[in-house]
Amino acid sequence: MSYKEAISIVIPVYNGENSIANLVTDLIDRLSISYSLEIVLVNDCSPDNSEAVCLSIFEKHKSIVKFLSLSKNVGEHNAVMAGLNQVTGNFTVIMDDDFQNPVMEVVKLIEFAIVSKHDVIYTYYDKKEHSFFRNLGSRFNDKVATILLKKPKDLYLSSFKIMNKFLVKEIIKYDLPFPYIDGLILRTTNSIGKLEVRHDKRINGASNYTLKKLVSLWMNMFTNFSILPLRFSMIVGFVFSLFGFGYGLFAVIEKLFNPHLPIGYTALIVLVSVFSGIQLMALGMVGEYLGRMFMSQNKKPQYSIRKLYTI
C-alpha cells in the first residue's frame, strides 16, 4: 500500500447552509483518493440551518468529517482555533465556507506545500472577487500588519492558507481569549511561502464581515501583538505638550508687548478640547490593554464546544 500524506482541512461555518455540503463533497471527491483526508467543520453558532446541514454531512462521511458545534458565536479566528485543536494531519488547510476558493486550488496549495517545505503557505489573488468594502478593509489590515507585526510588504494575509504540523502545534499553545491567527503565525516562524490561486465570485449570500467584525479583528492585532499603539499615544501626547508649551510661551510674550490684548476665549476652548481628546484617547488605549489583560486573567474561553461529533 502506497503512503498517503495526512491532510486536515478546517472550515469555520457561518451562514453556510447553501454552500458547505457541496464544498465538502467536492473536497472528498478530489482529495480522498490521493490523501488521507480529515475535514473539521466548526459551526460558529450560525443563525441559519448550518447546524443541521453539517450534522448530515458528518453522518454521511463519519470516517472523514469531524463536526464541532460551538455554543456561542466567537468569530472566525476563535472558531479556527477550535478546529486546529482537533486536527491530526501533517498539513492543515484553512479555508472559508463560501466556495470562493475552488477545490482545484486546494489541491494546488497542498501539492505546493509538500514540495516547498515552508511552515506556512499564504495564497494571493490576481483579482479578488470580494466587495469594495471587504477589499478596502483587507488593504487597511495589510498596511497595519506590516507596521505592527513586521509582516513582509509583499505578503498578503489571506484566510486561505496551509500550515504544517509543527506550526499548528505552536499556534494552539496560545490559550488566551483574543487570538489572531496571522499574528500567531508571524511571531512563530519566518519560513513563509506564497502561492497565487484563483478567486471566484460568491454564489450564495453576502460576506459575513461587517464593520464591527473588522474593527474587532484590528483591535486584536493592535493590542495583542504589539505595544506600538501605546508608544504612539505617548508620542502624540509629547508632541501636543510641546505645542501647548510653545503656545503658552507665545501668549505670555504677546501679553507683555500688548497689555490691552483681551483673553482669547476661542483659543482656550480649542486647546482644552484638543488636549482633553488626546488624554481620553491615550487613556482609552491603556484601558483597552488593561481590559484585555483582565479578561485573560479571568480565563475567558476562546470558544465553548456544545457538541463534538467524531468517531
Side-chain angles (χ1 to χ4, degrees):
M1 181 181 292
S2 60
Y3 171 75
K4 289 186 177 183
E5 193 75 63
I7 303 295
S8 298
I9 301 178
V10 174
I11 308 175
V13 181
Y14 190 81
N15 287 336
E17 63 176 342
N18 296 319
S19 60
I20 189 62
N22 290 334
L23 175 59
V24 171
T25 300
D26 277 10
L27 287 170
I28 293 174
D29 290 343
R30 297 288 180 88
L31 297 173
S32 60
I33 297 176
S34 303
Y35 302 102
S36 176
L37 184 63
E38 172 187 68
I39 299 176
V40 181
L41 303 178
V42 185
N43 179 30
D44 191 15
C45 203
S46 180
D48 65 354
N49 199 39
S50 293
E51 175 86 8
V53 173
C54 288
L55 183 56
S56 67
I57 294 171
F58 168 75
E59 293 292 344
K60 186 177 180 180
H61 305 285
K62 287 186 177 181
S63 62
I64 296 177
V65 175
K66 293 180 179 179
F67 173 41
L68 286 69
S69 177
L70 304 186
S71 61
K72 182 179 180 180
N73 178 255
V74 292
E76 179 183 356
H77 288 251
N78 294 65
V80 169
M81 288 293 285
L84 291 179
N85 275 275
Q86 299 295 326
V87 301
T88 59
N90 296 325
F91 294 90
T92 298
V93 176
I94 300 174
M95 64 185 302
D96 295 333
D97 63 354
D98 53 17
F99 236 138
Q100 289 189 266
N101 299 122
V103 175
M104 284 307 299
E105 301 301 90
V106 179
V107 176
K108 180 180 174 182
L109 182 60
I110 293 171
E111 291 175 348
F112 183 73
I114 293 173
V115 173
S116 70
K117 305 299 182 182
H118 287 297
D119 289 331
V120 59
I121 308 292
Y122 279 96
T123 61
Y124 66 98
Y125 316 111
D126 179 55
K127 181 181 179 183
K128 287 181 64 180
E129 297 294 347
H130 284 145
S131 66
F132 171 79
F133 173 75
R134 177 74 182 273
N135 287 332
L136 185 64
S138 295
R139 283 194 290 270
F140 177 78
N141 182 74
D142 181 78
K143 298 297 183 184
V144 173
T146 301
I147 297 171
L148 295 184
L149 305 180
K150 309 300 181 184
K151 177 188 74 67
K153 291 183 179 180
D154 61 344
L155 180 66
Y156 170 62
L157 299 180
S158 169
S159 59
F160 180 37
K161 50 185 166 278
I162 186 170
M163 299 180 288
N164 62 18
K165 179 175 272 187
F166 159 77
L167 186 55
V168 171
K169 285 184 176 181
E170 291 300 310
I171 287 175
I172 63 176
K173 290 178 182 178
Y174 184 87
D175 61 354
L176 299 180
F178 306 104
Y180 177 57
I181 302 297
D182 298 315
L184 294 170
I185 291 172
L186 291 172
R187 80 175 190 179
T188 302
T189 183
N190 286 326
S191 180
I192 301 172
K194 56 182 183 178
L195 178 69
E196 183 177 344
V197 297
R198 193 174 91 239
H199 194 242
D200 290 346
K201 290 184 178 180
R202 191 181 185 105
I203 299 175
N204 298 300
S207 173
N208 293 314
Y209 268 96
T210 62
L211 179 60
K212 180 181 178 181
K213 289 184 178 180
L214 286 173
V215 170
S216 177
L217 179 64
W218 294 330
M219 289 305 296
N220 280 351
M221 186 196 309
F222 289 157
T223 56
N224 283 19
F225 296 93
S226 175
I227 61 170
L228 193 59
L230 287 176
R231 290 176 177 171
F232 176 75
S233 64
M234 181 178 66
I235 292 171
V236 170
F238 179 73
V239 169
F240 273 86
S241 295
L242 288 179
F243 172 75
F245 176 78
Y247 185 84
L249 186 62
F250 170 77
V252 170
I253 294 173
E254 190 175 22
K255 186 69 173 177
L256 290 175
F257 281 96
N258 188 2
H260 301 290
L261 189 71
I263 298 175
Y265 174 78
T266 303
L268 179 63
I269 294 300
V270 169
L271 286 174
V272 169
S273 300
V274 169
F275 288 118
S276 297
I278 295 298
Q279 289 175 337
L280 288 174
M281 183 184 75
L283 287 173
M285 187 62 66
V286 173
E288 181 70 24
Y289 276 89
L290 290 175
R292 286 172 180 263
M293 289 175 59
F294 170 76
M295 298 297 286
S296 298
Q297 291 297 318
N298 204 31
K299 301 299 181 182
K300 178 183 177 181
Q302 287 181 351
Y303 54 85
S304 298
I305 300 175
R306 183 181 297 278
K307 298 176 182 177
L308 171 61
Y309 299 91
T310 184
I311 59 171

